[in-house]
Every structure is written in structure tokens, then in C-alpha cells.
Amino acid sequence: MGKLQLRKVKILGTGKYMPSRRVTDEELDRLLGVPAGWTGKITGVGERRYAAEGETSSYMGARAAEMALESAGLNFADIDCLVCTSGTKEQPLPSTAVFIQQAMGEEDSGVPAFDMDATCLSFLNGLDVMSYLVDSGRYRRVLLVATEIASAGLNWADKESAALFGDGAAAVVIGQAEPGEASRIVYASMKTYSRGARYSEIAGGGTRRHASQYSADRPEPFLFSMNGQAIFRMASKLLPEFLDGLLAPSGTRLEDIRLVIPHQGSAMAMRLLRKKLGIAEDRFFDNTRNHGNTIAASIPMGLHEAIAQRRIRRGDRVLMLGTAAGLSLGGLLLDY
């Protein structure tokens, strides 16, 4: 067995914000110029939300953060650090976390605020890294916020990927578990295989292809691009061994896990992967329908919904699992 990474860290509260604009499959059929029913068949989403005017990433993140604090019975003054764990940014500089702090009315608080980005695995990466700082006592309580506006950068000519995504935000407050409490992080792992780096990307907007090079005649480098089939083929080969390596150090079996909360990539991909990994349907949380793929917000949204729906209770073992651009695989095992 590998070395355990036990951290006595507890999920204190969760929150979620869904933007106001509802976008149905039927509306996307018309927008994309495809036959009626095509979007529903390809995505299985039904309805997703797009940010309306005024619903910036920081606004949405702030509202989700306020809900998480309320559910934890805390105020912003009880927080030592604010981390934005998103795959999209409100602007290149400064970090989105700064604007979330501002949108919460806490611009003079001095609470450190910064971003951590591992695209769709940003929340898992942030939870993993920051839990060590909480466990060590460096911070007492950390507010993690994933807020995503995918709709701003979709390439409508790439119909299949454009139809998958939705906007939204989720937030989680973590703190040290009290003595005697079962809550803890058991084990986490992340592996990156950069052979797949170009399978999912926005090539423009950074220093290699600066925004000053943007042309309305050829906007594609500055829009989202994804080879979904290549990602699925690569991930499906790698995930079984990855999952074994994630569970083995703690001696955890799939039947010991109350609920698997995956990154909600696409309904079809999740159905196939669930069967390939041998996860029972009643232990697999799928909220793609009415959400779509909300990038890094999808896993904390799933966690929030699973708690609200009482699919998990204190002491239950939970697995959060996903893939991300990179190509990266990530998972985190916790006792809620």
C-alpha cells in the first residue's frame, strides 16, 4: 500500500449560483442550425444556464460563496484565505479571486485572494493543496470558489462542443475537523499526460498569441476548441489504472464508496465511463441534465447538490473524480 495522505479537514459548508438565462436544447437547435432534437440527443442536457448581463464570474462566485458561508454558519471575517479554482478567468490580470473578494464587499479585508487553475480539475486541485495548509494550521478556514462562464468563449461552428457547456458557480468552505469527528481527506491524486495538451484548448489570449493579434475575420484561436473523441479515447484507457491507484493506498473498494461525484463532462461520456469503471448507477451522481458541463464548477456543484439531496451524510466516503485539459486525470477520496 502507498503512503496515506490523511488530513483532518472538514467540508464546513457549500453553496451554488446558477445564472438567470435559461437555454434549452430546442433553443440551441435553432441557434446551431441543426435538426430538431439534435442537441438533446448529443448532450442529454435539456437545459443549461448562460450568464446574463451583469452576471460576471466574480458576481456569480460571490453569491455562491455567500451561500457556502451561510450554510457553514460563518461570516467572511471567519475566513483566512479565498481561492478561486476556475478554468476560465474574468480577465487575464489580476486574479478572479480578487474580484470575488471585491464583489463580496470585502475589498478592505486584507484576506489573501488568489487563483489556482487546472482547468476542469481546478476545484479538486485547490481542495487538495489548500487542505494541507488547513491541516497544518497555516489557515483555519479557506473559501474555495469555482465560477465559470463557458458561454463567452464557445465556437459556435464547433456544434458538438458548443452544445455541451453551461455557466454557473459553486463554493466550498473547509476547516479543521474537531477531535473525534470522522471528516477527513483520505487520499488524492492527479496525473497529467501532455500528449493530449492540444485536445482541449484556447490557443489565443496568452503571451504566445497575445490578444492584440485578435482578428474578427479569424477569431478561432481565441475560442474554445475540443476534440472530444480523442479526449474520451485517451481518458478511457488511462482511467481504470488511475482509479485503482487512487483507491489502493487506503484499501478502499468501490463498494465502500457511498457516492462518486464525477466531473460532468457529457452525459454520454459519463454513462460509458461509469460502466467501464464498474460503478453502480445508484452510487454515481449525475447532474448534467439542467446544468451541462460547467467546467471546474461541476464537481463542487455536484457535491453541493449531493449534500442538499441527502445522497451523502457525515462520515460517508465520497470519491470526486474527473478529467481536464492537459490531459489530466484527478481524484480525491474524502470522508464527508
Side-chain angles (χ1 to χ4, degrees), residues 217-284:
D217 297 328
R218 192 169 175 269
E220 289 80 14
F222 296 86
L223 300 174
F224 178 70
S225 168
M226 181 172 75
N227 185 339
Q229 289 187 334
I231 292 170
F232 181 76
R233 282 195 302 269
M234 191 170 172
S236 61
K237 285 179 186 173
L238 294 166
L239 269 169
E241 184 180 345
F242 175 80
L243 182 60
D244 289 345
L246 185 64
L247 301 182
S250 60
T252 300
R253 302 163 302 167
L254 275 177
E255 52 265 38
D256 300 327
I257 296 169
R258 173 65 62 186
L259 198 64
V260 177
I261 301 173
H263 165 54
Q264 314 287 317
S266 77
M268 190 191 330
M270 283 197 301
R271 277 196 300 272
L272 293 170
L273 287 174
R274 180 183 66 76
K275 290 176 181 175
K276 187 177 180 72
L277 297 173
I279 302 166
E281 192 170 1
D282 65 339
R283 297 194 175 213
F284 191 81

Side-chain angles (χ1 to χ4, degrees), residues 51-122:
E53 189 174 349
E55 288 179 314
T56 61
S57 293
S58 54
Y59 174 86
M60 297 195 310
R63 303 296 81 80
E66 287 161 358
M67 180 186 283
L69 287 171
E70 185 177 353
S71 87
L74 300 170
N75 299 309
F76 190 87
D78 300 312
I79 297 300
D80 302 311
C81 187
L82 191 167
V83 184
C84 179
T85 56
S86 299
T88 60
K89 292 174 68 69
E90 186 159 313
Q91 62 184 59
L93 189 150
S95 66
T96 305
V98 169
F99 294 113
I100 293 171
Q101 186 203 72
Q102 190 180 67
M104 295 180 77
E106 300 292 344
E107 60 265 38
D108 296 319
S109 65
V111 170
F114 53 87
D115 291 0
M116 296 180 73
D117 177 13
T119 65
C120 294
L121 290 171
S122 297

Side-chain angles (χ1 to χ4, degrees), residues 94-330:
S95 66
T96 305
V98 169
F99 294 113
I100 293 171
Q101 186 203 72
Q102 190 180 67
M104 295 180 77
E106 300 292 344
E107 60 265 38
D108 296 319
S109 65
V111 170
F114 53 87
D115 291 0
M116 296 180 73
D117 177 13
T119 65
C120 294
L121 290 171
S122 297
F123 171 76
L124 277 196
N125 183 55
L127 175 59
D128 182 24
V129 173
M130 298 310 296
S131 67
Y132 281 103
L133 295 178
V134 170
D135 186 60
S136 70
R138 171 67 174 87
Y139 295 120
R140 290 172 307 140
R141 300 181 195 94
V142 174
L143 177 58
L144 300 163
V145 185
T147 179
E148 305 282 19
I149 299 182
S151 61
L154 296 175
N155 182 356
W156 298 104
D158 182 1
K159 301 181 194 312
E160 196 159 325
S161 71
L164 285 175
F165 289 87
D167 302 341
V172 171
V173 183
I174 60 171
Q176 285 187 348
E178 297 295 329
E181 286 187 320
S183 299
R184 59 184 182 165
I185 291 175
V186 178
Y187 196 79
S189 178
M190 181 173 169
K191 291 184 181 291
T192 299
Y193 300 90
S194 54
R195 178 168 55 83
R198 297 289 185 195
Y199 291 163
S200 182
E201 67 175 341
I202 298 174
T207 55
R208 186 172 65 84
R209 189 171 290 176
H210 192 264
S212 60
Q213 298 175 31
Y214 174 82
S215 166
D217 297 328
R218 192 169 175 269
E220 289 80 14
F222 296 86
L223 300 174
F224 178 70
S225 168
M226 181 172 75
N227 185 339
Q229 289 187 334
I231 292 170
F232 181 76
R233 282 195 302 269
M234 191 170 172
S236 61
K237 285 179 186 173
L238 294 166
L239 269 169
E241 184 180 345
F242 175 80
L243 182 60
D244 289 345
L246 185 64
L247 301 182
S250 60
T252 300
R253 302 163 302 167
L254 275 177
E255 52 265 38
D256 300 327
I257 296 169
R258 173 65 62 186
L259 198 64
V260 177
I261 301 173
H263 165 54
Q264 314 287 317
S266 77
M268 190 191 330
M270 283 197 301
R271 277 196 300 272
L272 293 170
L273 287 174
R274 180 183 66 76
K275 290 176 181 175
K276 187 177 180 72
L277 297 173
I279 302 166
E281 192 170 1
D282 65 339
R283 297 194 175 213
F284 191 81
F285 192 85
D286 180 356
N287 71 341
T288 310
R289 192 152 189 83
N290 302 328
H291 289 79
N293 181 339
T294 54
I295 316 178
S298 79
I299 289 178
M301 274 187 186
L303 177 65
H304 173 79
E305 290 294 334
I307 295 166
Q309 296 171 24
R310 303 184 73 78
R311 295 278 302 274
I312 55 174
R313 299 168 190 267
R314 287 295 179 191
D316 284 346
R317 186 151 289 189
V318 177
L319 171 63
M320 294 182 277
L321 181 71
T323 62
L327 179 122
S328 294
L329 313 176

